Amino acid sequence: MKQPDWPFILVLSGTGKLGERIQEEPQLAHLLRPVSFTEIDVHRQEDLNELNSLCHAYAERAGHDFTEIGTVDFYRRFSIARGYSWGIAADLMIAELLIAHGKNVDILSTAMFCEAFTERLELQPGFSPFSVDDYEEIFHAQKMIELWSKSKE
């Protein structure tokens, strides 16, 4: 991996616990450069634009159409489902694309995001920020990060 003619980058994404674990391994800690991201702020146009680009890029690469659901309401729901975390935002997108691919569906829907969310976090089907009206009161960002961290263990 240290060969200059072989471009390679390893991205480790997660919460503060990941950084603590990396520091426990001196060889790995020496080679890595930690980068921290701010939280997603759905009230900032730049963050909405970035979410839009991220979702469209992943969907397009996988051969799916994201156009119908790319709204401000969706991005707010998507953001809270991921605990406003940039570092782990792609995880839900990939899970949803796998569901769409498995169902042989071209046009993505919020129902598929709801399914991906509940399957990954082992919650009751249909109970997600994508399906309930009071999602901001029910789903708290810190709790979402904890649930996603536990789902990977």
Side-chain angles (χ1 to χ4, degrees), residues 6-46:
W6 187 40
F8 181 81
I9 186 168
L10 176 64
V11 176
L12 302 173
S13 177
T15 61
K17 287 184 181 181
L18 177 62
E20 292 169 14
R21 288 186 181 172
I22 289 171
Q23 293 304 317
E24 293 171 2
E25 299 294 332
Q27 289 182 339
L28 185 58
H30 174 70
L31 295 172
L32 295 180
R33 181 180 55 134
V35 176
S36 297
F37 295 99
T38 60
E39 286 189 343
I40 297 169
D41 182 352
V42 293
H43 302 292
R44 285 177 27 107
Q45 189 60 46
E46 295 84 3

Side-chain angles (χ1 to χ4, degrees), residues 62-128:
H64 298 282
D65 184 358
F66 183 80
T67 308
E68 288 189 18
I69 58 174
T71 66
V72 171
D73 180 62
F74 172 82
Y75 295 130
R76 287 185 174 147
R77 292 170 184 272
F78 182 80
S79 298
I80 204 163
R82 300 302 298 145
Y84 299 113
S85 174
W86 285 112
I88 52 179
D91 199 18
L92 179 59
M93 189 70 195
I94 292 169
E96 192 281 336
L97 290 170
L98 289 170
I99 287 173
H101 185 73
K103 293 182 176 188
N104 201 25
V105 174
D106 293 330
I107 299 174
L108 304 180
S109 69
T110 55
M112 284 183 266
F113 276 91
C114 179
E115 185 177 343
F117 179 86
T118 57
E119 279 184 13
R120 181 67 186 274
L121 298 181
E122 299 176 355
L123 298 174
Q124 179 181 349
F127 182 66
S128 80

